[in-house]
Amino acid sequence: MNESNTESFIREILKSQYHASLAMLRESIELCPDDLWTSTVFTNAFWQVAYHTLYFGHAYVGAGQDAFVPWEHHQADNQNPDGIPGPPDQDSTLPLIPRPYTKAQVLAYWQFLDDNVGAFVDALEIFSPECGFPRYRVPKLEHQMVNLRHIQHGAAQLADRLRLKLDIGVKWVGSRRNG
Protein backbone atom coordinates (compact mmCIF):
# COMPACT_ATOMS: atom_id res chain seq x y z
CA MET A 1 0.00 0.00 0.00
CA ASN A 2 1.50 3.34 -0.99
CA GLU A 3 1.36 6.51 1.13
CA SER A 4 -1.64 7.93 -0.73
CA ASN A 5 -3.61 4.71 -0.24
CA THR A 6 -2.53 4.56 3.41
CA GLU A 7 -3.71 8.11 4.00
CA SER A 8 -7.05 7.42 2.33
CA PHE A 9 -7.45 4.21 4.34
CA ILE A 10 -6.75 6.06 7.62
CA ARG A 11 -9.24 8.80 6.74
CA GLU A 12 -11.99 6.24 6.04
CA ILE A 13 -11.31 4.53 9.37
CA LEU A 14 -11.43 7.87 11.22
CA LYS A 15 -14.73 8.80 9.55
CA SER A 16 -16.22 5.42 10.39
CA GLN A 17 -15.21 5.67 14.03
CA TYR A 18 -16.36 9.28 14.37
CA HIS A 19 -19.77 8.35 12.99
CA ALA A 20 -19.98 5.30 15.27
CA SER A 21 -18.96 7.26 18.37
CA LEU A 22 -21.36 10.06 17.53
CA ALA A 23 -24.18 7.55 16.95
CA MET A 24 -23.73 6.23 20.48
CA LEU A 25 -23.67 9.77 21.86
CA ARG A 26 -26.85 10.61 19.96
CA GLU A 27 -28.69 7.61 21.34
CA SER A 28 -27.77 8.65 24.89
CA ILE A 29 -29.06 12.17 24.23
CA GLU A 30 -32.28 10.91 22.65
CA LEU A 31 -32.97 8.51 25.53
CA CYS A 32 -32.49 11.14 28.22
CA PRO A 33 -35.78 12.08 29.88
CA ASP A 34 -36.52 15.77 30.45
CA ASP A 35 -36.12 15.53 34.23
CA LEU A 36 -32.61 14.09 33.91
CA TRP A 37 -31.52 16.60 31.22
CA THR A 38 -30.99 19.45 33.69
CA SER A 39 -30.85 17.47 36.94
CA THR A 40 -28.17 18.53 39.39
CA VAL A 41 -27.90 15.06 40.93
CA PHE A 42 -24.54 14.73 39.18
CA THR A 43 -21.74 17.30 39.33
CA ASN A 44 -22.42 18.26 35.72
CA ALA A 45 -25.91 18.02 34.27
CA PHE A 46 -26.61 15.71 31.34
CA TRP A 47 -26.84 18.66 28.93
CA GLN A 48 -23.43 19.91 30.07
CA VAL A 49 -21.66 16.62 29.39
CA ALA A 50 -23.43 16.25 26.03
CA TYR A 51 -22.58 19.78 24.91
CA HIS A 52 -19.00 19.60 26.21
CA THR A 53 -18.48 16.35 24.29
CA LEU A 54 -19.78 17.86 21.05
CA TYR A 55 -17.92 21.14 21.53
CA PHE A 56 -14.54 19.48 21.86
CA GLY A 57 -15.38 16.77 19.32
CA HIS A 58 -16.03 19.61 16.86
CA ALA A 59 -12.96 21.63 17.85
CA TYR A 60 -10.52 18.73 17.83
CA VAL A 61 -11.57 17.29 14.46
CA GLY A 62 -10.42 20.57 12.93
CA ALA A 63 -7.12 22.05 11.82
CA GLY A 64 -6.24 23.58 15.17
CA GLN A 65 -7.16 25.94 17.96
CA ASP A 66 -6.67 29.10 15.88
CA ALA A 67 -8.84 27.79 13.03
CA PHE A 68 -11.78 26.65 15.20
CA VAL A 69 -15.10 28.32 14.41
CA PRO A 70 -17.77 27.45 16.99
CA TRP A 71 -21.19 26.13 16.01
CA GLU A 72 -23.53 28.94 14.90
CA HIS A 73 -25.75 28.65 18.02
CA HIS A 74 -22.85 28.47 20.46
CA GLN A 75 -23.15 30.66 23.58
CA ALA A 76 -19.83 32.46 24.04
CA ASP A 77 -21.07 34.93 26.67
CA ASN A 78 -19.80 32.98 29.68
CA GLN A 79 -16.56 31.94 31.35
CA ASN A 80 -16.70 28.29 30.24
CA PRO A 81 -18.31 28.04 26.80
CA ASP A 82 -17.87 24.26 26.62
CA GLY A 83 -20.47 23.91 29.42
CA ILE A 84 -18.23 22.40 32.11
CA PRO A 85 -17.28 24.89 34.82
CA GLY A 86 -13.68 25.55 35.65
CA PRO A 87 -12.50 27.72 38.50
CA PRO A 88 -14.48 30.98 38.43
CA ASP A 89 -12.76 34.18 37.36
CA GLN A 90 -13.61 36.54 40.21
CA ASP A 91 -12.93 39.56 37.97
CA SER A 92 -15.42 38.46 35.32
CA THR A 93 -19.03 39.62 35.21
CA LEU A 94 -19.91 36.74 32.88
CA PRO A 95 -21.81 33.71 34.18
CA LEU A 96 -19.68 30.64 34.88
CA ILE A 97 -21.41 28.42 32.28
CA PRO A 98 -23.86 28.89 29.40
CA ARG A 99 -27.60 28.84 29.84
CA PRO A 100 -28.72 25.20 29.56
CA TYR A 101 -28.98 24.06 25.98
CA THR A 102 -32.20 22.22 25.18
CA LYS A 103 -32.15 18.66 23.96
CA ALA A 104 -33.28 19.92 20.52
CA GLN A 105 -30.34 22.36 20.40
CA VAL A 106 -27.83 19.68 21.38
CA LEU A 107 -29.27 17.29 18.81
CA ALA A 108 -28.99 20.04 16.17
CA TYR A 109 -25.32 20.46 17.13
CA TRP A 110 -24.91 16.68 16.95
CA GLN A 111 -26.43 16.71 13.44
CA PHE A 112 -24.10 19.50 12.35
CA LEU A 113 -21.06 17.57 13.55
CA ASP A 114 -22.16 14.23 12.11
CA ASP A 115 -23.01 15.86 8.76
CA ASN A 116 -19.62 17.58 8.56
CA VAL A 117 -17.22 15.10 10.13
CA GLY A 118 -16.31 13.62 6.74
CA ALA A 119 -15.31 17.01 5.34
CA PHE A 120 -13.46 17.86 8.55
CA VAL A 121 -11.46 14.61 8.40
CA ASP A 122 -10.74 15.11 4.69
CA ALA A 123 -9.30 18.57 5.45
CA LEU A 124 -6.91 17.35 8.16
CA GLU A 125 -3.17 17.33 7.65
CA ILE A 126 -3.29 13.78 8.93
CA PHE A 127 0.48 13.23 9.10
CA SER A 128 1.31 16.58 10.69
CA PRO A 129 3.74 16.22 13.61
CA GLU A 130 1.68 18.78 15.56
CA CYS A 131 -2.02 18.68 16.32
CA GLY A 132 -2.69 22.43 16.43
CA PHE A 133 -3.74 22.53 20.09
CA PRO A 134 -1.00 23.71 22.47
CA ARG A 135 -2.46 21.66 25.34
CA TYR A 136 -1.59 18.47 23.46
CA ARG A 137 1.91 17.87 22.22
CA VAL A 138 1.07 14.98 19.93
CA PRO A 139 0.91 14.42 16.18
CA LYS A 140 -2.38 15.17 14.40
CA LEU A 141 -3.29 11.51 13.88
CA GLU A 142 -2.77 10.68 17.55
CA HIS A 143 -4.86 13.71 18.49
CA GLN A 144 -7.70 12.28 16.41
CA MET A 145 -7.50 9.14 18.55
CA VAL A 146 -7.61 11.34 21.66
CA ASN A 147 -10.70 13.04 20.25
CA LEU A 148 -12.46 9.75 19.52
CA ARG A 149 -11.68 8.57 23.05
CA HIS A 150 -13.07 11.86 24.41
CA ILE A 151 -16.33 11.43 22.50
CA GLN A 152 -16.63 7.85 23.76
CA HIS A 153 -15.83 8.97 27.31
CA GLY A 154 -18.69 11.51 27.20
CA ALA A 155 -21.06 9.02 25.60
CA ALA A 156 -20.15 6.42 28.23
CA GLN A 157 -20.79 8.85 31.10
CA LEU A 158 -24.24 9.60 29.72
CA ALA A 159 -25.00 5.94 29.00
CA ASP A 160 -24.00 5.09 32.56
CA ARG A 161 -26.44 7.68 33.92
CA LEU A 162 -29.23 6.22 31.82
CA ARG A 163 -28.44 2.73 33.10
CA LEU A 164 -28.24 3.93 36.69
CA LYS A 165 -31.39 6.06 36.69
CA LEU A 166 -33.63 4.24 34.18
CA ASP A 167 -32.05 0.81 33.73
CA ILE A 168 -31.82 1.30 29.98
CA GLY A 169 -28.80 0.70 27.80
CA VAL A 170 -27.25 2.32 24.76
CA LYS A 171 -26.50 0.07 21.81
CA TRP A 172 -22.90 -0.52 20.78
CA VAL A 173 -21.98 0.78 17.34
CA GLY A 174 -18.75 -0.74 16.05
CA SER A 175 -18.30 1.15 12.80
CA ARG A 176 -20.15 3.26 10.27
CA ARG A 177 -18.41 2.85 6.96
CA ASN A 178 -20.79 5.10 5.05
CA GLY A 179 -18.53 8.17 4.92
Side-chain angles (χ1 to χ4, degrees), residues 70-153:
W71 175 55
E72 66 178 326
H73 301 292
H74 173 72
Q75 300 173 44
D77 58 344
N78 59 82
Q79 294 180 42
N80 296 279
D82 67 314
I84 302 294
D89 178 352
Q90 302 302 328
D91 297 329
S92 177
T93 59
L94 295 173
L96 190 59
I97 60 172
R99 296 170 303 286
Y101 288 92
T102 66
K103 188 188 296 190
Q105 288 172 314
V106 172
L107 286 170
Y109 193 9
W110 180 95
Q111 191 66 60
F112 164 82
L113 185 53
D114 193 64
D115 287 349
N116 289 288
V117 76
F120 292 149
V121 169
D122 285 341
L124 292 173
E125 292 183 36
I126 204 77
F127 295 125
S128 173
E130 296 180 7
C131 70
F133 294 87
R135 177 178 178 180
Y136 295 98
R137 292 191 165 101
V138 297
K140 184 56 110 176
L141 182 56
E142 183 174 355
H143 192 249
Q144 294 310 294
M145 302 301 156
V146 169
N147 195 21
L148 285 164
R149 287 182 33 240
H150 182 262
I151 293 169
Q152 279 302 136
H153 180 73

Side-chain angles (χ1 to χ4, degrees), residues 1-145:
M1 186 178 288
N2 64 35
E3 187 174 326
S4 177
N5 289 343
T6 300
E7 183 174 340
S8 179
F9 184 65
I10 290 169
R11 288 183 194 284
E12 290 310 309
I13 290 169
L14 286 172
K15 291 176 199 178
S16 173
Q17 290 305 304
Y18 271 115
H19 287 300
S21 297
L22 288 167
M24 294 178 72
L25 178 62
R26 180 182 178 103
E27 185 177 2
S28 293
I29 293 166
E30 290 175 332
L31 290 172
C32 182
D34 292 341
D35 62 324
L36 185 56
W37 187 252
T38 56
S39 172
T40 58
V41 170
F42 297 96
T43 300
N44 297 303
F46 204 100
W47 76 265
Q48 289 175 276
V49 175
Y51 191 81
H52 168 88
T53 302
L54 289 166
Y55 178 85
F56 280 107
H58 175 201
Y60 290 164
V61 75
Q65 184 172 304
D66 295 338
F68 177 59
V69 177
W71 175 55
E72 66 178 326
H73 301 292
H74 173 72
Q75 300 173 44
D77 58 344
N78 59 82
Q79 294 180 42
N80 296 279
D82 67 314
I84 302 294
D89 178 352
Q90 302 302 328
D91 297 329
S92 177
T93 59
L94 295 173
L96 190 59
I97 60 172
R99 296 170 303 286
Y101 288 92
T102 66
K103 188 188 296 190
Q105 288 172 314
V106 172
L107 286 170
Y109 193 9
W110 180 95
Q111 191 66 60
F112 164 82
L113 185 53
D114 193 64
D115 287 349
N116 289 288
V117 76
F120 292 149
V121 169
D122 285 341
L124 292 173
E125 292 183 36
I126 204 77
F127 295 125
S128 173
E130 296 180 7
C131 70
F133 294 87
R135 177 178 178 180
Y136 295 98
R137 292 191 165 101
V138 297
K140 184 56 110 176
L141 182 56
E142 183 174 355
H143 192 249
Q144 294 310 294
M145 302 301 156

